[in-house]
Amino acid sequence: VPKKLVTTVSGCADDALAGLVACNPGLRLLQGHRVVLRDDLPAIRGRVALLSGGGSGHEPAHAGETPPAPPVPPTHRHGAEPSSLSAGYVGKGMLTGVVAGAVFASPAVGSVLAAIRAVAQAGAAGILLIVKNYTGDRLNFGMALERARAEGADVRMVVVGDDCAFAAPGKAGRRGICGTVLIHKVAGALAEAGASLDEVVEKVTAAAKAMGTLGLSLSPCSVPGSKPSFQLAEDEMELGLGIHGEAGVRRMKVLPADKAVETMLEHMTDPSNASHLSLAPGEPPRTLCAPPNPPDPSLILPPHAAGSSVVLVVNNLGGLSCLELGIMAGAAVRCLESRGIRIARALVGSFMTALEMAGVSLTLMLVDEELVGLIDAKTTAVAWPNIPAGPATTQREEVPAPTERPGKPQDEPGIGPGTARVQRVLERVCSTLLDIQDKLNELDRGAGDGDCGHTHARAAQAIREWMSSRPPPAAPAQLLSALADVLLEQMGGSSGVLYGLFLTAAARSLWGRSDSPAWADAMDAGIEAMQRSVPGAVESQFPLGVPIPPEFPCIPRRYGGAAPGDRTMLDSLCAAAQALHSLRTPGADLLQVLAAAVQSAEAAAEATRHMEAGAGRASYIRSSRLEQPDPGAVAVAAVLGAVLE
């Protein structure tokens, strides 16, 4: 059973609902019911009230009470599982209230009826129930509607079914999923503008018919206290699954993000699919879709020639990282643009989740100028994104790069190794780093993120691209200075900064020199720079070696905060530097000294296996868990070995 951060399994949904209301002053609970209402109910007098709801577990959807017994694992059926909407969408310009049920279970008729009575007594000019197409929701909201009508209330119901998964939907019809959030927004904007109940029902019904959604997941989800609803192999993904953990319509191998988006859009728009969404292709854009900072009238731009205009929702199903969500969003925009579809608006985030499911859904709503205006209308609902009004496009003009200062001088003839030798050495360094990429990643996993190999591989690729663009300088100072610029700009991570500091200081020490002792001096200068105080920081008031007073306990002691013995790349560098001091002896053999330096660096890297980390990310890990050598120290030894070779 998967771990969950809950107080009790039985009360987790009630606790979540209470937390939501406690943190949002614009929301109120209806006494005795799992109903969340707007704080300003008197403001709806004379306007249409909008109610929705369903089961919990779709946060920012609302929470209810978890069922006492684990549910029967869902199958490939559809139309039978209850659904939920969000108290996060309650507010001026969206919903008047929501009714929360159990996790993945419909709310009781009594709670739905209580919500209807509350808004009717507040003076609502008609009440619209927005219900996703699941049997439990239709039954419970429908029964409450009949009872409210018998009491004299003017109540209507719109059932939303936007799922494009099934090629031949059964008697239950298409499931209602994330597209329902757009219906909330359209209905809320209409109601806030004073539209009648008939007008709201007419426009919302039309909008719901011009909408489609499809989900894709890398993992199942699990109701608190229960096992996952289905299993996926490490290399599998599920297409067309529902939002309650029910399996989808197709299981396939994991695809790259762009291919996954193409697969989803092809399925959603396939004419042989009875639940498809018809999109009229147009001419792909060749220029900007909108000028910079357009005036308000141009926010609604004409569609591409013969192409559909849509609102796109890229929805996190719960467990997808923001990084992956952004990649999927960019792929969706590119794919739609390539078909000539104009994306009038794009919403990216968590709008309707399935607990911790690592997946995404795409929703497309065909829109005209009026619908886009309703999507743009203001709302106080906390879960609705505060996005600028304007189309989504990959054709947006980039900010020009700042002008660089005049370049540094290139080769000085007669100084340092020849360019061909420099290229051979650098190529060996690059190939070595690429060869040990997986090894460095594996070593780094013990300290946390496991990306040391990727970072050094990025450096190797950057150096190769730099060498292919121009011959590297042969003069040592200029060579190291240029390499520092490349790594500082493209390597990233703490390693990129530290290598940049080292090379910059070493280059200054080598300026105008190429004798053997100069390389020993350069090594020392680079190491000293990596340990130097931050300019302008409080610590810069205290010379190296002087203890920092206790009133400044949090000031970092060095750029990298490390010293020899702290289990970092400095251990290998300092060991190599000691060996290189032999270059200051007249007549020293350069290759023999370098071989000794490599041996010392390799031994120091291996010795970090037995050290307790005193700096870097590894310092947060218990020493008993650090059983491998430090990856940064291993990388330094490998670079020196490549230079020797």
Side-chain angles (χ1 to χ4, degrees), residues 25 28 49 79 131 161 192 292 416 446 460 502 571 637:
R28 291 290 184 273
V131 179
E192 188 61 32
F502 176 86
D571 291 298

Side-chain angles (χ1 to χ4, degrees), residues 41 68 84 152 170 226 598 621:
L41 270 188
S84 118
S226 301
V598 170
I621 311 297

Side-chain angles (χ1 to χ4, degrees), residues 21-332:
V21 173
C23 295
N24 290 280
L27 303 179
R28 291 290 184 273
L29 283 167
L30 181 61
Q31 187 176 20
H33 297 276
R34 289 192 299 274
V35 174
V36 176
L37 297 167
R38 282 173 54 173
D39 177 61
D40 59 344
L41 270 188
I44 70 167
R45 178 172 296 277
R47 286 187 168 88
V48 173
L50 306 173
L51 296 174
S52 191
S56 300
H58 304 296
E59 288 69 28
H62 60 272
E65 179 183 66
T66 306
V72 177
T75 65
H76 278 73
R77 71 188 187 278
H78 61 97
E81 298 80 12
S83 178
S84 118
L85 298 175
S86 171
Y89 301 124
V90 173
K92 182 178 180 180
M94 284 194 82
L95 298 176
T96 312
V98 294
V99 190
V103 172
F104 293 173
S106 297
V109 173
S111 292
V112 179
L113 184 59
I116 294 173
R117 288 170 176 164
V119 296
Q121 291 171 16
I127 301 161
L128 177 62
L129 307 180
I130 302 174
V131 179
K132 295 207 295 300
N133 187 32
Y134 289 95
T135 302
D137 287 355
R138 292 199 315 269
L139 287 172
N140 285 280
F141 278 84
M143 180 59 70
L145 177 146
E146 296 298 334
R147 292 183 61 180
R149 282 180 174 173
E151 297 175 1
D154 185 6
V155 189
R156 314 278 182 84
M157 184 165 77
V158 170
V159 178
V160 180
D162 57 312
D163 187 16
C164 291
F166 294 92
K171 181 186 293 186
R174 299 166 66 187
R175 296 176 292 198
I177 42 183
C178 185
T180 312
V181 175
L182 293 178
I183 299 302
H184 293 164
K185 187 63 181 65
V186 170
L190 288 166
E192 188 61 32
S196 68
L197 182 58
D198 287 338
E199 290 174 317
V200 175
V201 170
E202 178 185 359
K203 293 184 183 297
V204 160
T205 301
K209 291 178 179 177
M211 185 171 62
T213 299
L214 188 68
L216 178 76
S217 184
L218 303 175
S219 76
C221 63
S222 59
V223 172
S226 301
K227 294 181 178 180
S229 50
F230 63 93
Q231 296 295 328
L232 278 174
E234 289 294 321
D235 62 345
E236 288 182 331
M237 60 199 325
E238 189 95 8
L239 181 70
L241 72 176
I243 55 172
H244 308 97
E246 66 269 35
V249 295
R250 194 201 314 175
R251 189 164 292 191
M252 53 193 180
K253 297 297 182 183
V254 173
L255 299 172
D258 53 349
K259 297 298 182 184
V261 167
E262 288 177 15
T263 300
M264 294 175 76
L265 292 176
E266 285 171 5
H267 188 94
M268 292 173 69
T269 59
D270 183 358
S272 67
N273 178 357
S275 58
H276 78 283
L277 178 67
S278 296
L279 294 179
E283 184 179 343
R286 289 187 291 269
T287 58
L288 281 177
C289 289
N293 303 314
D296 287 344
S298 66
L299 290 177
I300 310 300
L301 299 175
H304 299 308
S308 297
S309 185
V310 301
V311 167
L312 165 69
V313 180
V314 184
N315 172 56
N316 189 344
L317 286 172
L320 205 68
S321 69
C322 293
L323 179 78
E324 295 163 283
L325 194 67
I327 293 169
M328 292 292 286

Side-chain angles (χ1 to χ4, degrees), residues 426-472:
L426 291 180
E427 178 53 40
R428 178 58 65 93
V429 169
C430 292
S431 61
T432 297
L433 290 177
L434 292 170
D435 288 343
I436 64 172
Q437 177 178 354
D438 291 340
K439 175 184 177 180
L440 294 179
N441 284 337
E442 185 61 33
L443 292 174
D444 198 30
R445 286 189 187 97
D449 54 359
D451 69 343
C452 184
H454 294 323
T455 303
H456 283 80
R458 193 160 53 242
Q461 290 157 354
I463 292 171
R464 278 181 169 176
E465 290 173 6
W466 170 68
M467 286 196 297
S468 67
S469 67
R470 43 150 290 182

